Amino acid sequence: MSQKETDLSQNGFFGHPLGLRTLFFTELWERMSYYGMRGLLVLYMTIGVIGNPGLGWSNIEANAIYGVYAGMVYFLALPGGWLADNLLGYQKAVLYGAIIIMLGHFTLAIPLEQTFILGLALVAVGTGLLKPNISSIVGQLYADDDERRDSGFTVFYMSINIGSMLGFAICGYLGERIGWHWGFGAAGIGMLFGVLQYIYFRDKLGEAGLYPNAMSQDRRKALRFWTITTILFFSAIVITGMFGIWNVDPVFFAERFRDFLVVVSFIYFGYLFFFAGLTSSEKKNVLMLLLLFIGAAAFWSGFDQSAGSLSIFTRDYVNLSFGSFQAPVSWTQFLNPLFVVMFAPFFAYLWIFLGKRNLNPNTPIKFAIGLIFMGLGFIVMLYAVEYALISAPVGVQWLLLTYLLHTFGELVLSPVGLSAFSRYSPKKYLGQMMGLWFLASSLGGVLAGLFGGEATESGLTSMTPIFTELIYYYFILAVVLIGLSFFIKGKINSSQ
Ligand code: PHE
C-alpha cells in the first residue's frame, strides 16, 4: 500500500478513519428504518389517521405493545453484545443484525395482521445484534490514546440523528398518506441500502471488531449449541403466538417485562457490589452508576412518549395544517433529531467553556439538569392539554417547545451517561456495564409504553394526572441526584 493510501484510510472521513464512514452510513440507515417505522407504530395500531384507518386497538394496548417493543430492542443488546464477544465478532454481528432488521421491516410491509408480531420481533432481534456492536467497532477504530476518539463518537451520533430525520420524513409520509405498509416497506428499503453499503465497504474496517474472544474449540461448540437451542425456543414461542396458539394481554405482558427488567438490573448491580470482589472505591462508583441508571431509565420513559402519548395527542388535538398542506402526524417527531443536530455543538462548547472556569457540573448534576428539562417539557404539555380542553386543535408551538426541552435534556444526559458508564465501570466488566446502559433505555421504553397507555386511556382527561405524576417523579429524582452530588463531590468529575 502506498503512503498516500494509508493516510486516506486513516483520515479519509472528516479526518477520521475511513471505517467510520462505513459505520456512519450503516447506522444512518438503521436509525432511518428504526425511527421511521416506530413513528408510525402506535398510529397504525390504534385508529390510524384521517383517510387511513389503523388496526383499531385501544390506546392502552397499543402503547403497551410499543413499550414492549422499544424495551425489547434495547434489552436484546445484552445477548447481542454477548454473541459478538463470544461467537460472531462485532463485524459479523452488525452484518447479520442489519439483514435481520431489513427482513423484519419487509415482514411488516406484508399487509397481514398475523405477521405483525413476527416483523416486530425480527427488528428487535436484529437491532440487539447491531446497535451495541456497531458502537464497539467505532471505539476499536482508534488506538487507546488516539485523541480523535471522542470526536469520532460525536460524528457517529450525527449519523443517528440524520438517519432518524430521514426516517420520519420518508416513512412518515408514505405510511400515513399512501399506506402503512408502504411506510414499513420504505424502512426495509432504507435498511437494504445500509446492508449493501456495509457489505461493499466493510473492508475499510480492517481488523476492528473482526474476531470474537479466543476460546477452546469445545467451549465454542457448547456456546453455539446453547445459542441455537435458545433461538429455536424463542422462535417457537413467536411462531405459535402468530398462529394464535397462545394469547396474552399486552398490558399484563408489559408489566411483567418491566418487573423482569427491574429484577435483572438489581441482580446485576447486586452481584457487582457484593460478589465481584471490587475495591471500596470501585464499589462507590457502582453505587453512583446505579443512581445514574435509575435517572436514565426515568428520563427515557418520558422521552419515548414521543411515539406514544405525544403522538396520539398530536393526531387528535394539534392543528397540523399549513395553508393547504396537512403535515403527517409523525413529522412532528422530526423536531428531536433536528434540534440535536442544531444544538449539539452548542452544548459541547458550553461544557468546554464552563470547564475552563472550573464550573463544569459533575455527572449527577448533569443528570439532574436532564431530568429537570424533561419535567419542564411535560409542564408545557400540561398547558397544551389545558388549552386543548378549552378548544382543540391547539397550535404546533406546544410540541415545538416540549421537544426542544426534551432534546436539551437528551443533550445534557445521554452523552454524559455513556461516558460515565465507560469511565467509572470496573474495568473487567466494561462490556457488561455498557449493556447496563442499554438496559436503562430498555426499562425506559417499557415504562414509556405503560405511562403512555394510562395517559391516553380516556382522551385528554387522563393526560393531566399522568403528566403531573411524571413531573413530580422527575423533579424528586433531580433533587435526590443534586443532594447526592454533594455527597460524592470531588470524586466524580466528568469532562463531557
Ligand atoms: N437517539 C438515540 C439513538 O437512537 C437514543 C438512544 C440513546 C438510544 C441511548 C439508546 C441508548 O441512538
Side-chain angles (χ1 to χ4, degrees), residues 42-74:
V42 166
L43 299 172
Y44 166 68
M45 285 191 279
T46 54
I47 55 172
V49 293
I50 298 166
N52 183 12
L55 295 175
W57 300 347
S58 71
N59 285 345
I60 192 154
E61 277 174 342
N63 271 283
I65 294 175
Y66 160 66
V68 170
Y69 169 69
M72 277 293 174
V73 161
Y74 295 125

Side-chain angles (χ1 to χ4, degrees), residues 31 35 74 131 157 160-161 300 410 414 437-438 441:
R31 291 284 99 180
Y35 282 108
Y74 295 125
K131 182 84 168 147
Y157 205 62
I160 290 175
N161 291 288
W300 298 118
E410 175 186 357
S414 184
W437 174 242
F438 279 106
S441 301

Side-chain angles (χ1 to χ4, degrees), residues 137-354:
I137 312 181
V138 175
Q140 293 184 27
L141 288 174
Y142 304 92
D144 277 349
D145 55 354
D146 193 326
E147 285 181 350
R148 296 172 300 172
R149 173 189 289 266
D150 278 359
S151 111
F153 275 101
T154 309
V155 172
F156 186 69
Y157 205 62
M158 289 296 126
S159 76
I160 290 175
N161 291 288
I162 297 171
S164 13
M165 279 195 265
L166 279 174
F168 291 130
I170 299 170
C171 304
Y173 184 84
L174 290 173
E176 290 186 38
R177 289 297 146 78
I178 314 289
W180 300 110
H181 302 283
W182 285 84
F184 301 145
I189 299 216
M191 193 66 258
L192 173 67
F193 290 148
V195 169
L196 294 177
Q197 186 276 146
Y198 184 75
I199 292 175
Y200 198 71
F201 293 113
R202 189 172 148 194
D203 60 336
K204 303 281 181 282
L205 298 173
E207 298 223 330
L210 191 53
Y211 304 110
N213 291 341
M215 65 179 77
S216 74
Q217 206 58 16
D218 280 351
R219 188 168 154 75
R220 203 181 300 278
K221 256 198 204 138
L223 292 186
R224 201 171 287 147
F225 171 78
W226 286 113
T227 305
I228 293 174
T229 312
T230 314
I231 292 174
L232 289 177
F233 176 72
F234 283 103
S235 307
I237 294 188
V238 173
I239 291 168
T240 45
M242 255 170 75
F243 289 105
I245 293 173
W246 55 270
N247 235 319
V248 56
D249 170 37
V251 179
F252 177 82
F253 189 76
E255 285 170 349
R256 296 299 77 76
F257 184 41
R258 170 203 60 197
D259 300 344
F260 167 79
L261 291 173
V262 170
V263 171
V264 168
S265 318
F266 277 92
I267 291 180
Y268 230 110
F269 275 107
Y271 169 80
L272 279 175
F273 195 80
F274 294 109
F275 303 110
L278 302 182
T279 64
S280 78
S281 88
E282 281 177 327
K283 280 188 181 175
K284 273 193 197 143
N285 284 341
V286 168
L287 271 187
M288 183 194 65
L289 292 176
L290 171 65
L291 214 70
L292 298 186
F293 177 90
I294 296 171
F299 182 84
W300 298 118
S301 73
F303 187 84
D304 282 342
Q305 295 303 319
S306 56
S309 66
L310 295 183
S311 188
I312 289 180
F313 178 83
T314 308
R315 176 188 66 199
D316 297 343
Y317 308 106
V318 177
N319 178 10
L320 294 173
S321 24
F322 300 93
S324 61
F325 179 71
Q326 175 78 15
V329 177
S330 54
W331 273 17
T332 50
Q333 289 178 61
F334 190 89
L335 291 167
N336 163 254
L338 177 73
F339 289 147
V340 169
V341 174
M342 283 168 63
F343 291 102
F346 168 77
F347 278 89
Y349 177 75
L350 181 69
W351 304 140
I352 295 172
F353 178 86
L354 291 175

